[in-house]
Amino acid sequence: MLVHPQLNPIALDLGILQVHWYGLTYLAAFGLFHFLATRRIRQAPFVAGGWQPRDVEDLLFFGVVGVILGGRLGYVLFYKPMHYLQNPLEVLAVWKGGMAFHGGLLGVLVAMALFAHLRGRRFFEVTDLIAPCVPTGLAMGRVGNFINGELWGRAADASLPWAMVFPQSGSDLPRHPSQVYQFLLEGLSLFVILWCYGRSRGAHHRADGAVVWGRVSGLFMIGYGAFRFIAEYFREPDSFLGLLTFNLSMGQWLCVPMIAAGALIWASAGRRAA
């Protein structure tokens, strides 16, 4: 069995200032988004839409605000509503941890809707642009989870070559390194799928040649929801929630409407020709 190396979560300690690895993974995520999005706008039909590098910088600003606010509020509302209702000031204590992807997604969608409104662009044009650029950021987040030794997996057979003991879990049980699974699934695999699909003509054009928006966004929601649903079978459920109805975790239940919404968006995209 492997044993988690228990890396120091602090990458750089300057006394009055501590730089955490998790914070650095967030910076890497935002840097990768900027790198990929500036290349995405060189693809048709974004060139025809007049997208410029300055637009990407503004998108990144809106997205960062949406991720932080949405991720925090999502965690508060989806996972510990009663705790924060009794301790409302702790909602602001982000340094104690507590971010939810599904909340971050909702926050980003609101931010993108505001950006689209202010710039006079279609909402799904904006989300189709950013969708293939998001999974690498998710992958960086899972790297941070692994370094911190958090969000470990469920118990695994000791004969599994990559089974790992996470001392942070308080036991010597071999576990699935679910952070690595999510890195590979909702990070790298989803990126490859969306980037390749986003470059294809069928992603943005109907058979009659009309430009359509929403297919890449819909595929992102389907792909992330499906990959996260699978990964949750190997990830230890939150101790304060456990498994819910039908032995599904909260993360899995939040993926169900996401997959359904993604399928609806993708299927109806052809009827929303620009």
Side-chain angles (χ1 to χ4, degrees):
M1 291 183 298
L2 304 174
V3 178
H4 185 268
Q6 293 186 280
L7 301 171
N8 188 341
I10 300 174
L12 182 63
D13 190 343
L14 301 177
I16 60 173
L17 176 65
Q18 293 181 333
V19 179
H20 289 248
W21 284 111
Y22 199 68
L24 292 177
T25 62
Y26 263 68
L27 289 178
F30 298 143
L32 283 169
F33 175 89
H34 185 272
F35 174 80
L36 293 171
T38 52
R39 280 147 184 78
R40 177 90 167 124
I41 60 174
R42 300 173 189 171
Q43 302 171 6
F46 299 106
V47 173
W51 286 85
Q52 300 296 324
R54 178 62 182 271
D55 296 319
V56 172
E57 296 170 5
D58 294 341
L59 264 178
L60 180 57
F61 173 77
F62 277 77
V64 169
V65 174
V67 164
I68 295 175
L69 294 182
R72 183 58 173 171
L73 292 177
Y75 182 80
V76 169
L77 296 175
F78 297 153
Y79 289 89
K80 289 187 174 181
M82 296 308 299
H83 172 79
Y84 289 104
L85 184 62
Q86 297 170 4
N87 306 276
L89 292 180
E90 286 194 21
V91 173
L92 303 176
V94 294
W95 56 89
K96 293 184 178 181
M99 298 284 281
F101 165 79
H102 295 89
L105 173 64
L106 293 175
V108 169
L109 292 179
V110 172
M112 295 303 100
L114 178 60
F115 176 90
H117 173 72
L118 293 176
R119 298 300 174 87
R121 294 188 179 275
R122 298 173 180 84
F123 172 71
F124 284 114
E125 177 185 1
V126 177
T127 57
D128 274 9
L129 168 63
I130 69 170
C133 309
V134 171
T136 53
L138 301 178
M140 290 299 98
R142 297 311 172 193
V143 170
N145 294 146
F146 183 81
I147 291 175
N148 288 347
E150 60 192 7
L151 305 183
W152 51 78
R154 303 187 192 188
D157 193 310
S159 64
L160 186 70
W162 53 85
M164 180 173 289
V165 174
F166 287 87
Q168 300 91 330
S169 68
S171 74
D172 293 329
L173 288 175
R175 297 178 179 275
H176 290 281
S178 55
Q179 313 96 323
V180 178
Y181 297 173
Q182 291 187 259
F183 171 86
L184 295 173
L185 288 174
E186 65 202 43
L188 296 188
S189 296
L190 186 58
F191 165 70
V192 171
I193 291 170
L194 291 175
W195 192 262
C196 292
Y197 179 68
R199 292 173 61 89
S200 68
R201 178 175 174 79
H204 299 295
H205 293 86
R206 279 193 325 209
D208 61 3
V211 176
V212 296
W213 302 109
R215 287 177 175 168
V216 181
S217 303
L219 184 59
F220 170 84
M221 297 182 72
I222 295 170
Y224 178 87
F227 283 144
R228 176 67 181 270
F229 193 94
I230 294 170
E232 285 283 330
Y233 279 117
F234 302 96
R235 176 173 160 176
E236 183 74 15
D238 295 291
S239 58
F240 53 86
L241 285 177
L243 294 176
L244 307 177
T245 309
F246 301 123
N247 284 328
L248 299 180
S249 67
M250 174 61 80
Q252 287 174 311
W253 276 114
L254 292 173
C255 285
V256 172
M258 185 177 180
I259 295 172
L264 179 62
I265 291 170
W266 189 94
S268 60
R271 296 192 292 272
R272 294 192 306 271

